[in-house]
């Protein structure tokens, strides 16, 4: 939670601006709000960092990717390639716009691979929901070439990768639409919030309208606005946006500290036999919110987790057994346990989700242990952490040799 560690006077000031006016809604009430438009300011701060032509703030990272899909034209019956390693919201968003998820392989980037996408493409494929996982980025050159060759719509879920870039371009801006999350655990937080970005004027207009019951936001009388399309309520509140404004302004400082701290840890841990790291297609663009260790195999990784727990080390995830980030635990999806029928239950699903064969993904996630990077760490704290990780890995791998 690198953003929350720097929570202070700036956030309180922005929130106080809203509380003094009493206007918690992002639209209307022009006179009473005394020119405080926190959602607009939040969007402007995101634009400064990303260089996006358009940004639209919504209530969460989940609603941001849902809006991104709809604004890009993804809908009922469309087959969309998705990763099996992601916060499940990415897949839920595909399902709830009526589209049909097609799971493809990831690789050591922790993102959908070019080869995985290529093998999953069929004549029915409409688009790709590409998720940039654990602060890094996918191999965008190869993926963009595939999109061009097959005329696919690319939607990017960069919820975990705000401020990450690939060859100078921010992730989230390669596709028709992109999205970021600003929940409590991201590089910057709004408490709950998300932002859609795009360089496409029509996609932006659809997003702005779709996320507010279809309002066109023209004129000064909200009750008399036109509704060019159907929509729903994905609005962000001014209170959440106020926190987002202050937090997003701090991202350049947080990014610098994250990168410095991650480099320190990697330099220390590179000395330990058995440790490698996830692949970054563009290391210079890393948001450095995670340090992703790759162990020799799944059994080794499980033993390392045991040793880390024995040593009292916290702040890490073993995604292979994580309930909400990896497909192995998504029984509710495999069994289609729903409150009401989805499109995928009415038409023929493109895959049998109970019998997916994704060996590369299983191998990579089985080996992966991720540590969140904190921007407030001292050098001594990092030395202590690296020492405990190194000792745990060495013990775990020695245990294997004894066996």
């Amino acid at each position: 939670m690198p953003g929350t560690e720097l929570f202070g006077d700036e956030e309180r000031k922005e929130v106080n601006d809203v509380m003094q006016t009493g206007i918690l809604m992002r639209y209307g009430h022009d006179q009473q709000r005394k020119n405080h438009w926190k959602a607009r300011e939040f969007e402007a701060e995101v634009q400064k960092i990303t260089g996006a032509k358009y940004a639209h703030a919504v209530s969460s990272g989940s609603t941001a990717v849902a809006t991104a899909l709809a604004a890009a034209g993804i809908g009922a019956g469309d087959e969309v390639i998705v990763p099996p390693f992601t916060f499940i919201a990415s897949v839920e968003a595909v399902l709830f716009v009526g589209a049909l998820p097609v799971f493809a392989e990831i690789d050591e980037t922790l993102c959908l691979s070019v080869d995985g996408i290529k093998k999953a493409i069929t004549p029915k494929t409409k688009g790709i929901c590409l998720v940039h996982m654990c602060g890094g980025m996918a191999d965008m050159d190869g993926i963009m070439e595939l999109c061009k060759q097959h005329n696919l719509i690319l939607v990017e879920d960069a919820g975990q990768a705000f401020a990450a870039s690939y060859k100078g371009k921010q992730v989230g801006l390669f596709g028709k639409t992109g999205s970021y999350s600003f929940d409590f655990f991201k590089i910057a937080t709004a408490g709950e919030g998300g932002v859609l970005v795009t360089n496409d004027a029509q996609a932006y207009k659809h997003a702005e309208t779709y996320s507010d019951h279809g309002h066109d936001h023209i004129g000064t009388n909200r009750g008399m606005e036109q509704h060019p399309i159907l929509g729903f309520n994905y609005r962000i509140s001014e209170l959440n946006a106020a926190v987002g404004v202050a937090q997003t302004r701090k991202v350049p400082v947080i990014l610098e500290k994250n990168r410095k701290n991650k480099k320190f840890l990697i330099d220390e841990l590179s000395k330990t036999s058995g440790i490698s790291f996830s692949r970054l297609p563009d290391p210079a663009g890393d948001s450095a919110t995670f340090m992703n260790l790759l162990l020799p195999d799944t059994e080794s990784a499980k033993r390392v987790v045991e040793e880390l727990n024995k040593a009292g080390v916290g702040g890490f995830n073993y995604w292979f057994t994580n309930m909400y980030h990896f497909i192995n635990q998504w029984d509710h999806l495999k069994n289609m346990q729903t409150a009401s029928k989805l499109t995928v239950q009415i038409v023929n699903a493109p895959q049998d989700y109970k019998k997916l064969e994704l060996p590369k993904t299983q191998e990579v996630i089985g080996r992966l242990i991720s540590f969140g990077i904190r921007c407030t760490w001292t050098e001594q704290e990092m030395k202590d952490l690296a020492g405990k990780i190194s000792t745990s890995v060495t013990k775990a791998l020695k245990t294997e040799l004894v066996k």
Side-chain angles (χ1 to χ4, degrees), residues 283-302:
D286 186 14
S287 73
T289 49
F290 286 90
M291 176 179 64
N292 302 301
L293 307 185
L294 290 173
L295 282 302
D297 52 53
T298 299
E299 293 307 312
S300 297
K302 288 179 178 178

Side-chain angles (χ1 to χ4, degrees), residues 107 207 242:
D107 61 13

Side-chain angles (χ1 to χ4, degrees), residues 98-386:
L100 314 175
V102 176
F103 290 94
E105 294 269 37
I106 69 163
D107 61 13
E108 284 82 359
T109 64
L110 312 183
C111 307
L112 285 169
S113 68
V114 173
D115 188 55
I117 294 171
K118 191 181 298 183
K119 290 178 180 177
I121 292 173
T122 74
K124 295 181 179 180
T125 306
K126 179 70 174 287
I128 302 168
C129 183
L130 176 65
V131 185
H132 301 280
M133 282 299 290
C134 296
M137 73 295 294
D139 181 359
M140 294 313 302
D141 284 346
I143 290 171
M144 293 305 294
E145 182 60 29
L146 280 180
C147 290
K148 183 179 178 181
Q149 288 175 5
H150 296 275
N151 194 29
L152 300 179
I153 297 171
L154 178 64
V155 174
E156 294 172 85
D157 180 349
Q160 293 188 359
F162 182 60
S165 61
Y166 179 82
K167 296 184 178 179
K169 185 175 183 177
Q170 296 287 309
V171 298
L173 291 178
F174 286 85
K176 189 167 185 179
T177 54
S179 64
Y180 306 113
S181 173
F182 289 81
D183 74 12
F184 188 62
F185 300 98
K186 300 303 187 289
I187 190 171
T189 182
E192 285 286 357
V195 177
L196 172 145
V197 290
T198 183
N199 289 328
D200 185 298
Q202 185 59 63
Y204 167 70
K205 188 58 184 174
H206 275 159
E208 185 202 31
T209 305
Y210 176 82
S211 60
D212 183 29
H213 297 296
H215 278 266
D216 67 3
H217 306 125
I218 296 174
T220 57
N221 185 344
R222 181 170 171 82
M224 294 302 293
E225 290 177 4
Q226 299 296 309
H227 300 84
I229 61 172
L230 289 167
F232 201 58
N233 179 11
Y234 291 155
R235 294 188 303 265
I236 192 170
S237 79
E238 286 287 275
L239 282 175
N240 290 102
V243 177
V245 169
Q247 283 273 298
T248 305
R249 286 175 184 152
K250 297 175 180 179
V251 166
V253 172
I254 297 170
L255 186 63
E256 182 181 358
K257 291 181 178 180
N258 278 357
R259 288 173 173 172
K260 179 180 177 182
N261 289 351
K262 182 174 179 177
K263 183 180 184 304
F264 182 93
L265 285 171
I266 287 178
D267 287 347
E268 290 291 305
L269 291 171
S270 294
K271 305 168 187 175
T272 301
S273 178
I275 294 179
S276 60
F277 304 91
S278 63
R279 182 171 70 84
L280 286 163
D282 180 9
D286 186 14
S287 73
T289 49
F290 286 90
M291 176 179 64
N292 302 301
L293 307 185
L294 290 173
L295 282 302
D297 52 53
T298 299
E299 293 307 312
S300 297
K302 288 179 178 178
R303 285 194 295 274
V304 171
V305 170
E306 291 176 5
E307 293 296 338
L308 290 169
N309 287 329
K310 288 178 187 177
V313 178
F316 70 89
N317 283 292
Y318 183 51
W319 305 109
F320 194 68
T321 56
N322 184 282
M323 291 301 293
Y324 49 95
H325 280 83
F326 189 45
I327 198 168
N328 284 12
Q329 282 67 245
W330 296 347
D331 289 342
H332 57 323
L333 181 143
K334 296 172 188 176
N335 298 321
M336 280 296 143
Q337 298 164 209
T338 62
S340 58
K341 282 185 180 178
L342 300 174
T343 302
V344 73
Q345 293 169 286
I346 298 171
V347 304
N348 290 326
Q351 294 172 312
D352 184 344
Y353 300 135
K354 294 181 182 179
K355 297 180 180 178
L356 293 171
E357 293 186 9
L358 301 165
K360 180 62 177 178
T361 299
Q362 295 292 336
E363 182 256 324
V364 171
I365 303 305
R367 297 165 54 210
L368 174 67
I369 301 175
S370 299
F371 285 81
I373 299 295
R374 298 179 70 95
C375 65
T376 55
W377 273 328
T378 65
E379 185 171 312
Q380 188 58 53
E381 286 173 327
M382 290 189 287
K383 283 182 177 179
D384 291 344
L385 175 60

